[in-house]
Amino acid sequence: MRAFSSFSNASGLSMNNAKYEIFFNGVTEDIREGIKLVTGFREGTMPFRYLGVPIKAGRLTKQECSSLTEKMVSRIRGLGAKKLSYTGRITLINAGLNTLHNYWAQMFIIPKSIINHIMAICRNYLWDGSPDYHRVPLVAWDKVTLPKKEGGLGIKKADVWNVATVGKLVNWVYCKADRLWIMWINDVYIKNQDWHGYSPPSDAIWGGYDWICPAHMTLNWSAIVWNNWNIPKHSLTTWLIMHERMNVKSKLFRFGCCEDDLCILCQRQTEIVEHLFTSCTYTVTVQHHLLQWYGGSFPTVDSLIADNRNSIQWRIKVAMFNAFQYFIWFQRNNARINEWLLRPEVVARRIEEDIKRRVNQKFRAVDDQTVFSWLQSIGVL
């Protein structure tokens, strides 16, 4: 209390005793009452909240962690989050929901039931815009949480991330970091004993996360889907196509959700993914109008995999390919739900306009005069 008084005299700041509590362990009732009399603090009970999280001596219970999931749900239900596109929802999950979880995960082992609830909230929000289960996910969550190069969306696994972040605390104890609680642990428990012989790197959290998650094969189409010149919503459509998770009419017809399985765009053949995006007469006409602008032959997944991935031409071609997939699927859904369809040349023009805007956002000056002339010829510059 003399130290608090000295600090107050030097800084002009003083404590508000009504907001302070004191906690005891291993002392007699007489000492406890004497300390409360000297300090004027009231005795608190655990758990108490500090910086938004519950603090207690033992592991947190499901009830004590429920405020974490409540905050995640309230964030989803506010700010028009339900109206976001798939790409917007992925961004909110990574930048908003997982940030809340990460704050807690760096301090505690979160109960398994809460971890499962967090993953369920993220999964349900991604596919339905709601924290509750209303819609069957298009892609399994284990696949969604894979890195993008392995066919996933790069969303972190909440359970693995919790283990990896707590592993960082172990690293601090081992390295005897300059923190009060670590000094206490080393002085009271570890003392002069060696922790172990392994010295983790500075990026211990991501290193631990990658070490715990089993490695999968890098997919040769991942660079096509996640090329940074793509418009994000276009990439997600292509990602679903590559995983064969599009609800085309052939699939809906098998489940009794529609009267026939004919392609909505041409009304001639069965609507399967291959027909819809490659051989449908509407699709082929859109491709024809695009090639009048771009030239050459229309790209395919195989041709894009084989091409030089470092060229600007390849990036623009990939961006056009992803935009084409998105607009065909958009028009298909528009015809099914609203019963009207844009002319192929209008769709091609909108794809062209999107690509030109995107290239102007990403383009940096190049020394290659041939590339520069080509960009001018397609009207990008």
Side-chain angles (χ1 to χ4, degrees):
M1 297 308 294
R2 284 195 297 270
F4 283 138
S5 177
S6 298
F7 175 78
S8 179
N9 293 333
S11 66
L13 303 175
S14 59
M15 293 187 299
N16 182 349
N17 286 359
K19 294 185 177 180
Y20 282 78
E21 295 180 336
I22 190 167
F23 299 85
F24 298 95
N25 185 45
V27 297
T28 63
E29 185 67 26
D30 292 341
I31 294 176
R32 181 180 302 187
E33 293 300 325
I35 292 176
K36 288 195 291 183
L37 182 63
V38 169
T39 62
F41 296 159
R42 67 178 184 272
E43 184 173 358
T45 58
M46 289 192 177
F48 62 92
R49 300 192 73 81
Y50 178 70
L51 298 179
V53 297
I55 304 296
K56 63 180 294 187
R59 293 188 64 169
L60 297 179
T61 65
K62 175 182 177 181
Q63 290 73 23
E64 290 159 352
C65 293
S66 60
S67 61
L68 170 58
T69 53
E70 289 170 0
K71 287 181 180 178
M72 296 177 77
V73 170
S74 64
R75 186 163 294 186
I76 288 174
R77 288 179 173 157
L79 303 176
K82 183 176 176 60
K83 299 179 181 179
L84 294 176
S85 65
Y86 282 139
T87 307
R89 293 173 195 173
I90 293 170
T91 302
L92 180 58
I93 290 172
N94 284 328
L97 304 186
N98 278 345
T99 301
L100 289 173
H101 163 250
N102 186 50
Y103 179 63
W104 285 58
Q106 293 183 63
M107 295 178 277
F108 311 110
I109 295 290
I110 301 175
K112 186 67 175 179
S113 59
I114 296 294
I115 289 288
N116 291 337
H117 192 192
I118 289 171
M119 291 192 290
I121 290 171
C122 294
R123 181 195 65 226
N124 296 338
Y125 175 63
L126 172 62
W127 299 118
D128 193 46
S130 166
D132 305 313
Y133 183 83
H134 295 137
R135 183 179 179 185
V136 177
L138 295 176
V139 180
W141 192 246
D142 285 343
K143 190 168 291 185
V144 169
T145 53
L146 290 175
K148 289 182 177 179
K149 65 181 181 180
E150 297 175 5
L153 294 177
I155 297 175
K156 294 192 294 286
K157 291 183 178 179
D159 53 347
V160 177
W161 187 253
N162 191 195
V163 174
T165 50
V166 172
K168 181 181 179 180
L169 304 183
V170 176
N171 178 37
W172 285 352
V173 174
Y174 168 69
C175 297
K176 295 181 172 60
D178 187 18
R179 296 170 184 265
L180 182 60
W181 68 271
I182 292 176
M183 295 177 185
W184 174 73
I185 288 174
N186 278 285
D187 185 63
V188 174
Y189 292 103
I190 301 177
K191 298 181 180 178
N192 296 322
Q193 302 177 44
D194 289 332
W195 181 261
H196 50 66
Y198 172 67
S199 180
S202 58
D203 59 344
I205 294 181
W206 274 111
Y209 182 83
D210 293 338
W211 178 68
I212 295 170
C213 290
H216 294 76
M217 180 180 64
T218 298
L219 299 176
N220 54 11
W221 51 259
S222 61
I224 298 172
V225 175
W226 304 117
N227 172 38
N228 62 5
W229 283 39
N230 295 348
I231 295 175
K233 63 182 179 181
H234 299 172
S235 290
L236 192 70
T237 300
T238 305
W239 180 78
L240 289 170
I241 293 171
M242 300 305 293
H243 281 294
E244 300 180 352
R245 288 297 184 268
M246 308 302 282
N247 287 326
V248 290
K249 284 187 70 178
S250 58
K251 181 187 293 186
L252 298 175
F253 181 69
R254 288 199 304 270
F255 290 105
C257 298
C258 55
E259 296 179 355
D260 60 69
D261 60 0
L262 289 178
C263 174
I264 294 175
L265 299 180
C266 69
Q267 294 293 322
R268 293 180 181 178
Q269 298 184 36
T270 300
E271 186 183 278
I272 60 175
V273 170
E274 184 179 1
H275 166 77
L276 184 62
F277 293 98
T278 59
S279 59
C280 172
T281 53
Y282 182 89
T283 299
V284 171
T285 307
V286 174
Q287 291 178 353
H288 174 73
H289 286 287
L290 280 174
L291 293 179
Q292 288 180 338
W293 160 65
Y294 184 83
S297 58
F298 197 81
T300 64
V301 173
D302 291 338
S303 68
L304 291 172
I305 290 173
D307 283 350
N308 176 18
R309 302 188 180 188
N310 295 321
S311 67
I312 291 178
Q313 292 95 325
W314 184 84
R315 294 177 181 178
I316 295 176
K317 193 184 297 185
V318 167
M320 181 181 70
F321 175 78
N322 282 269
F324 167 78
Q325 306 262 61
Y326 169 82
F327 273 92
I328 291 298
W329 185 246
F330 185 89
Q331 291 305 309
R332 179 264 182 198
N333 288 337
N334 195 34
R336 182 170 182 262
I337 298 170
N338 300 320
E339 298 182 348
W340 61 270
L341 190 63
L342 290 176
R343 298 193 309 275
E345 60 270 23
V346 176
V347 175
R349 187 164 61 248
R350 292 190 177 183
I351 294 173
E352 178 184 341
E353 291 169 355
D354 270 9
I355 298 306
K356 287 180 178 179
R357 280 194 296 268
R358 188 63 171 177
V359 172
N360 278 299
Q361 291 172 358
K362 293 290 185 178
F363 179 74
R364 299 294 182 269
V366 293
D367 297 329
D368 191 328
Q369 185 60 40
T370 304
V371 173
F372 190 81
S373 299
W374 177 76
L375 291 174
Q376 286 184 318
S377 70
I378 63 173
V380 172
L381 298 180

